[in-house]
């Protein structure tokens, strides 16, 4: 199974299954209305697509409105499991694996069992696993439940540009690393490698004169790029053979990534132990032994980045989120820069 089920390993070239449950939770009347306490966001910290939803939920302060279930970093051919919870059952949904919520709604569900997924708690049925739409809807449909000072991550005036940037980042970077990692021939790998680093060079140039990807504040575009960058040296450089340069050897992107990492909501949702465990233990087709590497050194994530000189205001007219709930904090043993309050310390 592809990581979080969003693809299939086919030779000679990796192809991602992009067919999702397209239902939406909306502020307007409909089958799935916005309603505090009704839905549960199911994630795995290892998964970059789920990490997006974790970050956006935290930045917007939706913890009290949408509960969160966290799967373990590994899964079998069947589904992601709640092996981190007592008895191996999600404490709210009462199920051992997210597949059960999919089958509760679609008994013959034919597609990948993926995270992130939103589940309707009263019925136990999955609502959606459309992760690109999910984070946009958290920003635009759940505004009534946003915290005071929540940032505007998808501002109307910048949506066309955000969408354009997101499309290139998704095809060439977010998915590009997978295209390298699961290439079935040298030709496919070489083409994927060239595409990936062409895009990273474009990002280096774009971010050399502006602090954030679009506008002068953090937007949805920065969230989507960050989750790939956070995994680059730990996984993609070696495991996926994306090895022209480490992130730490690309000065602009490395400074940009550290800037975001040190911003509340980003680094404090990053679990390096879960990330490495997932990729190296689950992807036995490219890492048959399942051995998880000890490195890389993570100390650099806390070093000064100097991006303040480019101006910009991380949260615009808003404010940073406070500490995450105790039950949702990344253990310091999994991210050495997370303090006892769950926030990144530098």
């Amino acid at each position: 199974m592809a990581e979080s089920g969003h693809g299939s390993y086919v030779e000679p070239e990796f192809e991602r299954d992009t067919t999702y449950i397209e239902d939406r939770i909306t502020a307007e009347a409909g089958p799935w209305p916005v309603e505090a306490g009704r839905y549960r966001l199911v994630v795995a910290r290892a998964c970059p697509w789920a990490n997006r939803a974790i970050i956006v939920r935290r930045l917007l302060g939706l913890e009290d409105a949408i509960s969160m279930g966290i799967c373990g970093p590994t899964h079998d051919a069947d589904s992601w499991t709640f092996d981190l919870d007592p008895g191996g059952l999600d404490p709210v949904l009462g199920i051992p694996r997210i597949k059960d919520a999919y089958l509760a709604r679609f008994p013959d569900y034919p597609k990948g069992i993926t995270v992130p997924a939103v589940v309707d708690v009263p019925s136990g049925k999955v609502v959606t696993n459309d992760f690109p739409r999910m984070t946009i809807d958290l920003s635009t449909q759940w505004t009534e439940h946003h915290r005071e000072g929540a940032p505007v991550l998808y501002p109307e005036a910048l949506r066309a540009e955000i969408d354009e940037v997101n499309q290139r980042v998704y095809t060439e970077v977010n998915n590009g690393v997978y295209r390298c990692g699961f290439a079935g021939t040298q030709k496919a790998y070489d083409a994927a490698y060239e595409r990936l680093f062409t895009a990273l060079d474009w990002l280096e140039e774009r971010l050399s004169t502006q602090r954030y990807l679009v506008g002068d504040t953090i937007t949805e575009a920065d969230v989507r790029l960050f989750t790939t960058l956070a995994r680059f040296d730990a996984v993609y450089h070696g495991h996926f053979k994306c090895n022209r340069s480490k992130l730490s050897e690309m000065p602009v992107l490395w400074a940009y990534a550290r800037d975001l990492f040190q911003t509340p909501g980003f680094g404090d949702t990053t679990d390096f132990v879960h990330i490495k465990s997932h990729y190296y233990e689950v992807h036995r087709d490219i890492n048959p032994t399942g051995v998880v590497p000890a490195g890389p050194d993570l100390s650099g994530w806390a070093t000064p980045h100097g991006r303040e000189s480019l101006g910009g205001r991380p949260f615009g007219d808003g404010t940073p989120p406070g500490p995450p709930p105790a039950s949702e904090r990344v253990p310091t043993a999994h991210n050495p820069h997370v303090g006892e309050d769950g926030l990144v310390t530098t």
Side-chain angles (χ1 to χ4, degrees):
M1 177 188 273
E3 189 222 334
S4 52
H6 291 307
S8 57
Y9 306 158
V10 294
E11 293 188 1
E13 188 173 335
F14 173 77
E15 296 180 3
R16 184 172 298 281
D17 179 1
T18 57
T19 304
Y20 307 110
I21 303 168
E22 295 182 347
D23 288 30
R24 295 175 57 198
I25 300 169
T26 61
E28 295 79 27
W32 307 111
V34 165
E35 183 180 328
R38 176 172 175 177
Y39 304 101
R40 188 159 176 82
L41 173 67
V42 176
V43 300
R45 293 193 188 279
C47 171
W49 322 105
N51 199 175
R52 294 179 182 183
I54 298 171
I55 292 171
V56 170
R57 172 180 173 269
R58 174 150 157 62
L59 293 178
L60 299 178
L62 289 169
E63 292 93 340
D64 290 337
I66 308 170
S67 67
M68 186 167 74
I70 304 174
C71 297
T74 61
H75 59 69
D76 55 26
D78 208 21
S79 166
W80 294 89
T81 56
F82 294 103
D83 50 286
L84 303 177
D85 294 306
L89 297 176
D90 179 88
V92 172
L93 300 174
I95 55 177
R97 53 183 66 237
I98 187 58
K99 179 179 181 178
D100 295 334
Y102 280 76
L103 298 184
R105 184 167 175 208
F106 304 106
D108 299 313
Y109 188 70
K111 311 300 288 185
I113 306 296
T114 65
V115 292
V118 178
V119 179
D120 176 50
V121 174
S123 67
K125 297 178 179 180
V126 67
V127 175
T128 182
N129 64 343
D130 188 352
F131 70 95
R133 185 73 245 175
M134 191 183 298
T135 49
I136 297 294
D137 283 347
L138 291 178
S139 284
T140 61
Q141 302 299 309
W142 287 81
T143 53
E144 179 185 352
H145 301 285
H146 289 181
R147 66 178 175 86
E148 184 177 353
V152 180
L153 299 177
Y154 196 53
E156 288 193 37
L158 297 177
R159 286 179 187 178
E161 186 177 359
I162 291 171
D163 292 346
E164 182 181 359
V165 169
N166 282 348
Q167 180 62 25
R168 185 170 184 183
V169 167
Y170 171 73
T171 59
E172 305 305 297
V173 180
N174 301 146
N175 198 43
V177 293
Y178 285 86
R179 198 180 293 112
C180 289
F182 293 110
T185 68
Q186 189 68 49
K187 181 179 180 181
Y189 167 75
D190 290 345
Y193 178 97
E194 180 66 25
R195 285 179 63 178
L196 170 64
F197 283 99
T198 295
L200 291 174
D201 288 343
W202 163 69
L203 288 165
E204 276 273 300
E205 182 177 358
R206 182 182 182 93
L207 289 164
S208 66
T209 56
Q210 60 190 68
R211 189 171 179 184
Y212 303 110
L213 275 174
V214 182
D216 65 353
T217 64
I218 291 168
T219 68
E220 174 80 16
D222 299 294
V223 174
R224 295 189 181 196
L225 178 57
F226 173 78
T227 59
T228 294
L229 297 183
R231 289 157 176 76
F232 202 90
D233 287 3
V235 175
Y236 302 145
H237 179 270
H239 185 57
F240 278 180
K241 307 180 184 72
C242 302
N243 62 354
R244 188 199 74 179
S245 313
K246 295 178 181 176
L247 174 65
S248 58
E249 295 167 345
M250 294 180 273
V252 173
L253 277 171
W254 178 221
Y256 166 81
R258 297 195 324 271
D259 187 4
L260 291 177
F261 182 87
Q262 294 169 30
T263 300
F266 288 85
D268 54 50
T269 65
T270 304
D271 189 319
F272 290 108
V273 169
H274 277 202
I275 288 167
K276 292 198 299 182
S277 173
H278 172 77
Y279 285 89
Y280 286 101
E281 292 185 64
V282 171
H283 296 163
R284 294 301 179 100
D285 40 0
I286 56 176
N287 187 42
T289 64
V291 172
V292 179
D297 179 7
L298 301 174
S299 60
W301 282 101
T303 58
H305 51 76
R307 297 283 292 176
E308 304 94 334
S309 64
L310 294 172
R313 301 174 299 151
F315 297 97
D317 294 328
T319 57
S327 62
E328 297 181 5
R329 293 174 185 173
V330 174
T332 300
H334 292 194
N335 181 337
H337 304 299
V338 172
E340 291 185 2
D341 61 357
L343 294 171
V344 164
T345 58
T346 57

